[in-house]
Amino acid sequence: FNYTWVTTKTDGTLWVWGNNDTGYLGLNESAPANKSSPTQVGTDTTWGTANTSLCAGYSVHNIKTDGTLWAWADSAGGSTGLGNYTVYSSPMQVGTDTTWSKIRTGGSGQNVGGIKTDGTLWSWGYGSQGELGLNSTPSKTTPQPVGTDTTWSDIAFSYEGLAIGLKTNGTLWTWGNNNNGRLGLNQ
């Protein structure tokens, strides 16, 4: 996304390099302030290191080892989940929950979905084609529950307004833009 790289090490530290437009690097520096080599973000050693804990699109998200969710960069479509469209150049905690277990972004990078330890699915960001699964099309600037099911295991978004969810029983669910039958519902 925008030529920026974000990764975590096994020691729980967070590292970034590349383009710093709209605060992507999370270093609390004004753009451009690009970095051509890996630079550590702060001194925390509690950043999530699993591939389910870190995602990036217009904004960057990470679930720390204590289950809290953090976001920064461009809030296009409300994608940071911080309740506004503000650009953040350093990590900010999203809400106060300590039960986040998986985070995903996709599509245009403005759709975000998360799963909590209780198996509930949450979404936010750009939602003009129903891809948030909230039975409405406006964008949401804070995490919103997607129904009441507690059996979600994964979520993904495509570029053109499609969302795909997987439940713990192995069933696949789709919603959003059905152009060309992409939802797979024989419609």
Side-chain angles (χ1 to χ4, degrees), residues 71-141:
W72 64 96
D74 193 343
S75 290
S79 62
T80 58
L82 294 166
N84 54 49
Y85 299 99
T86 304
V87 171
Y88 293 92
S89 62
S90 59
M92 306 291 291
Q93 187 173 344
V94 178
T96 59
D97 291 348
T98 59
T99 56
W100 293 101
S101 66
K102 187 175 285 188
I103 189 74
R104 298 277 193 238
T105 191
S108 62
Q110 298 178 37
N111 315 110
V112 184
I115 297 175
K116 293 190 178 183
T117 55
D118 64 2
T120 57
L121 176 63
W122 297 72
S123 67
W124 62 97
Y126 189 68
S128 72
Q129 300 181 65
E131 63 266 52
L132 296 182
L134 302 172
N135 204 25
S136 65
T137 54
S139 297
K140 301 295 183 185
T141 61

Side-chain angles (χ1 to χ4, degrees), residues 122-167:
W122 297 72
S123 67
W124 62 97
Y126 189 68
S128 72
Q129 300 181 65
E131 63 266 52
L132 296 182
L134 302 172
N135 204 25
S136 65
T137 54
S139 297
K140 301 295 183 185
T141 61
T142 58
Q144 305 291 310
V146 178
T148 59
D149 289 353
T150 59
T151 57
W152 293 102
S153 65
D154 211 346
I155 177 105
F157 298 96
S158 80
Y159 181 73
E160 296 185 8
L162 165 68
I164 301 171
L166 183 65
K167 291 197 175 185

